[in-house]
Amino acid sequence: GMDKIYLNWFTVEDYSEKHKLGISERSFYNAMKDLLGKGFIAESDQPNMYWINPHLFFNGDRMIFIREYRAK
């Protein structure tokens, strides 16, 4: 329900180990660099908190998206 996500290496490392994904620290930071560089996410004022670009995940107005979702 929010446009932000908390991501840090330690959280991802724990998740990766729990689900046996094998994500390395280097892969995590490379992915974060790519996501930031391509505008999928943007840094916020809070550490390890990132804004999600709603233009990439919502079709136009977010309220219309919700109404369309409920109508189906």
Side-chain angles (χ1 to χ4, degrees):
M2 295 189 300
D3 292 344
K4 58 185 176 179
I5 186 169
Y6 177 81
L7 278 175
N8 71 12
W9 164 242
F10 300 110
T11 304
V12 172
E13 181 181 35
D14 290 343
Y15 184 86
S16 176
E17 289 175 2
K18 181 179 178 182
H19 297 283
K20 299 178 180 157
L21 298 175
I23 299 171
S24 70
E25 187 173 2
R26 183 177 184 118
S27 293
F28 169 76
Y29 285 111
N30 284 338
M32 292 299 291
K33 181 181 170 185
D34 286 345
L35 290 170
L36 287 164
K38 296 185 188 307
F40 280 83
I41 60 175
E43 293 184 78
S44 73
D45 295 339
Q46 300 171 343
N48 301 314
M49 189 68 71
Y50 298 90
W51 293 105
I52 299 171
N53 185 346
H55 298 288
L56 299 173
F57 299 101
F58 296 101
N59 186 9
D61 183 31
R62 283 177 262 173
M63 297 307 287
I64 291 173
F65 172 78
I66 293 169
R67 272 190 268 137
E68 289 174 357
Y69 179 76
R70 289 182 183 170
K72 290 182 181 178

